[in-house]
Amino acid sequence: MTAVSLLALLTSTVAAFVAYRLYLNYTLRLTARQHGCQPAARYKHKDPIFGLDIFLRTGDAISKNQFLVEHQRRYDTYGHTFESLNFGSLGISSIHPENLRAVFSKNAADWGVQPLRLHSMSPFCGTGFITADGSDWKISHDLLKPGFHKSHISDFGPLEEHLQLLLGQIPKDGSKFDLQPHLLRLYLDLNTLFLFGEPIGMLSGTPPSHAKGFLDAFQAGFNGCGIRIALGPLSFLMPKGAWLAACDKVHQFADVYVDRAIEYSNKIDSAEHSQDQTKRRTLLFNMAQATTDRTVLRNQIVQAMMAATETTASLISHVIRNLASNPDIASQVRAEVLAVGDGPLDFDQLPRIKSLQHVITETLRLYPVFPQMNRVALKDTVLPTGGGLDGTAPVFAPAGTLFDTCFATLHRDPKIWGPNANEFCPSRWENDYSPPPFTFIPFGAGPRQCLGQQKATMEASYIVSRILQEFSEIKSEDDKPYQAQVALTAKSAHGCPVSLTPATG
């Protein structure tokens, strides 16, 4: 085939695609009109056919730890709801509470994640609550939910044991250090203990033999999923050999614990099981009471680790960072903690320390655990607002529309939170203040709201209270403007540089 014929073929293909897009846009406009819908503000693309410019700009922002800043800039420019192209298909971005209510709650059945995630993530983590919709999602959700009952998350004994290892490894002479890596290691141990029944040994330095190379493989597998999702229809460009090898390594690690859980489930009676407190607190052993399907258990536990990765550690790091930067607030919270007790507090005592809870809630407002979230329209549906010149008309979302929202932007909206929306102000939560519905969503909302929300906030309460008991002063050593490093969750790109003064007496 000559160069001329190749050029002619390429030109005709592009022309056919453009013609198809024009026809599709025309039919969609007709359907939208029938529903009384109007288009939202339109992102000004440099590439008006595929929208590759927004894809490249987003990738650049992520690489520079400016992902959330870029989202804020878009909403500042186009308003609370706007349309864009996503590899040639329609994308709608919105932080309007009524649209969030529709997508995550009222019309949640119209929206899902499976078209976006399952194909890209299946080799790593299969079908589960992160990748599936409908009955498959419900099966996974129902398997996981009992493991987060208060009876399984209220014993802080194992947490205290690992916290003591952490406290033994950090400087106590007032010298500067970064607390965030210590918290991340702590939660690698605590998460594997909760999920699998055995810590991975990050703090003790004694990992089990079969764990060699697991963390690197897990991170490579996790990152590969993100890259494949971001690439969308171009995911074939990502080399798969090393990624699939990492997936296999993660499966081998998980299968060790899956087999143990199935063996334990098969040979015990309920009376014996009730006597083993460690296994009762382990998510995998709880799920094995409901199913002994090896693949199902492996998929759920790998997805549970994905959701748990860095979540609570990042929250605690942000809380300590805020307290270190606001010594008056830190002193107030410490005084209230010590008024309750100078030793480990329990699950029922911690919620009664209001100033501590306000600090954690305000931290979640400014630094939500899950700062950004997507859904895909599973069928033609309608968003209640955002269209027309005044942004109040309904917006038509045909099947396949990518919906994107940014909770980090929503939580800093001055129209909701006032002129000090960007300031750390725990007192805004006093007198049992409750913001309007779907304006504060740190753990998602609706049927797919994070099951681990109570576990995360209570463990954060416990660890922060223990640090305040152990140290009379937490001093910020951070001289850089805050930047968020975003993956599934967001953590401080510069860590949590502090110096600590041990309590005396």
Side-chain angles (χ1 to χ4, degrees):
M1 186 178 286
T2 65
V4 173
S5 58
L6 276 174
L7 181 60
L9 177 61
L10 178 62
T11 303
S12 61
T13 301
V14 172
F17 177 80
V18 171
Y20 168 74
R21 292 300 306 174
L22 291 172
Y23 170 75
L24 185 61
N25 287 339
Y26 172 73
T27 58
L28 290 178
R29 281 197 300 271
L30 285 179
T31 308
R33 234 180 260 130
Q34 292 169 3
H35 287 83
C37 298
Q38 297 182 42
R42 190 78 170 177
Y43 183 90
K44 294 180 179 177
H45 282 284
K46 294 180 180 178
D47 170 13
I49 298 175
F50 298 104
L52 292 178
D53 56 313
I54 198 171
F55 167 76
L56 295 172
R57 182 160 183 159
T58 299
D60 183 63
I62 291 173
S63 69
K64 296 176 179 176
N65 295 321
Q66 295 291 304
F67 180 72
L68 299 182
V69 174
E70 176 63 22
H71 269 70
Q72 181 71 59
R73 186 181 297 120
R74 292 173 191 173
Y75 285 108
D76 288 344
T77 302
Y78 298 105
H80 62 71
T81 304
F82 63 92
E83 298 178 3
S84 61
L85 290 171
N86 176 55
F87 293 105
S89 299
L90 176 64
I92 299 176
S93 299
S94 182
I95 56 169
H96 195 286
E98 289 306 310
N99 288 340
L100 300 183
R101 184 200 303 271
V103 172
F104 294 108
S105 181
K106 185 178 179 181
N107 301 327
D110 293 354
W111 300 86
V113 300
Q114 189 164 316
L116 180 68
R117 299 176 183 172
L118 184 58
H119 173 74
S120 295
M121 300 174 69
S122 182
F124 180 60
C125 60
T127 300
F129 71 99
I130 287 179
T131 57
D133 297 323
S135 59
D136 285 338
W137 170 81
K138 189 176 188 311
I139 289 170
S140 298
H141 180 269
D142 291 348
L143 270 175
L144 289 161
K145 188 174 181 180
F148 291 92
H149 188 270
K150 179 182 175 182
S151 61
H152 297 139
I153 63 174
S154 57
D155 180 4
F156 291 136
L159 176 53
E160 176 67 22
E161 180 183 340
H162 285 81
L163 180 61
Q164 287 300 320
L165 290 175
L166 182 150
L167 293 174
Q169 295 174 9
I170 60 177
K172 300 179 182 63
D173 58 358
S175 58
K176 172 182 174 180
F177 75 103
D178 185 359
L179 179 60
Q180 185 165 272
H182 293 275
L183 292 170
L184 292 172
R185 286 195 291 272
L186 169 68
Y187 264 89
L188 282 169
D189 277 352
L190 290 174
N191 286 338
T192 49
L193 177 63
F194 175 68
L195 297 174
F196 302 109
E198 181 178 50
I200 202 169
M202 292 300 295
L203 289 174
S204 66
T206 56
S209 58
H210 60 269
K212 183 178 180 181
F214 164 70
L215 287 178
D216 289 340
F218 181 84
Q219 199 60 56
F222 197 172
N223 291 345
C225 290
I227 293 170
R228 282 165 61 85
I229 290 173
L231 287 172
L234 303 179
S235 62
F236 64 88
L237 295 175
M238 188 188 99
K240 292 205 300 184
W243 181 64
L244 291 175
C247 295
D248 287 341
K249 177 65 180 178
V250 171
H251 296 171
Q252 292 166 20
F253 175 86
D255 285 345
V256 171
Y257 296 100
V258 168
D259 291 342
R260 287 181 190 176
I262 293 174
E263 180 183 4
Y264 182 78
S265 176
N266 287 337
K267 74 179 183 181
I268 62 164
D269 58 36
S270 59
E272 289 175 316
H273 181 251
S274 66
Q275 295 170 7
D276 193 325
Q277 296 298 318
T278 299
K279 289 181 172 59
R280 286 187 64 194
R281 291 192 300 263
T282 300
L283 189 62
L284 182 55
F285 281 85
N286 270 283
M287 289 193 294
Q289 306 310 304
T291 180
T292 55
D293 186 306
R294 196 168 185 256
T295 302
V296 168
L297 289 172
R298 180 217 288 158
N299 290 343
Q300 309 319 309
I301 208 66
V302 172
Q303 293 200 17
M305 187 160 184
M306 293 172 71
T309 297
E310 300 186 349
T311 304
T312 310
S314 297
L315 169 58
I316 297 167
S317 178
H318 281 120
V319 170
I320 296 299
R321 180 180 175 276
N322 285 332
L323 289 175
S325 301
N326 296 272
D328 291 343
I329 294 174
S331 295
Q332 176 195 353
V333 178
R334 183 170 190 269
E336 291 193 29
V337 168
L338 293 176
V340 177
D342 58 2
L345 305 179
D346 64 33
F347 198 87
D348 296 317
Q349 290 174 308
L350 290 166
R352 296 199 288 267
I353 306 174
K354 294 299 183 182
S355 62
L356 174 61
Q357 299 309 315
H358 295 159
V359 162
I360 291 173
T361 305
E362 180 70 349
T363 299
L364 285 167
R365 183 185 72 83
L366 289 171
Y367 310 100
V369 172
F370 303 106
Q372 180 257 359
M373 202 164 286
N374 301 115
R375 291 288 187 268
V376 175
L378 302 177
K379 62 181 182 179
D380 290 355
T381 188
V382 173
L383 296 174
T385 191
L389 294 177
D390 62 357
T392 61
V395 178
F396 182 62
T401 298
L402 177 68
F403 179 86
D404 179 275
T405 190
C406 185
F407 300 138
T409 301
L410 171 71
H411 291 179
R412 293 171 182 252
D413 187 344
K415 297 183 183 69
I416 299 169
W417 304 98
N420 67 343
N422 284 308
E423 298 174 15
F424 179 70
C425 182
S427 62
R428 75 173 78 243
W429 300 96
E430 293 175 355
N431 303 314
D432 296 320
Y433 171 70
S434 180
F438 294 91
T439 60
F440 179 60
I441 317 178
F443 290 93
R448 300 184 83 122
Q449 185 173 359
C450 177
L451 286 172
Q453 175 174 348
Q454 185 181 37
K455 181 177 184 291
T457 54
M458 290 305 297
E459 290 183 358
S461 299
Y462 182 87
I463 290 175
V464 173
S465 70
R466 293 290 291 121
I467 291 175
L468 290 171
Q469 289 169 336
E470 293 288 328
F471 301 97
S472 60
E473 183 182 8
I474 306 170
K475 183 181 177 183
S476 174
E477 301 288 352
D478 192 355
D479 56 1
K480 298 177 181 177
Y482 179 78
Q483 287 186 324
Q485 184 178 344
V486 178
L488 178 64
T489 57
K491 64 182 178 183
S492 169
H494 302 135
C496 183
V498 293
S499 55
L500 303 174
T501 303
T504 56

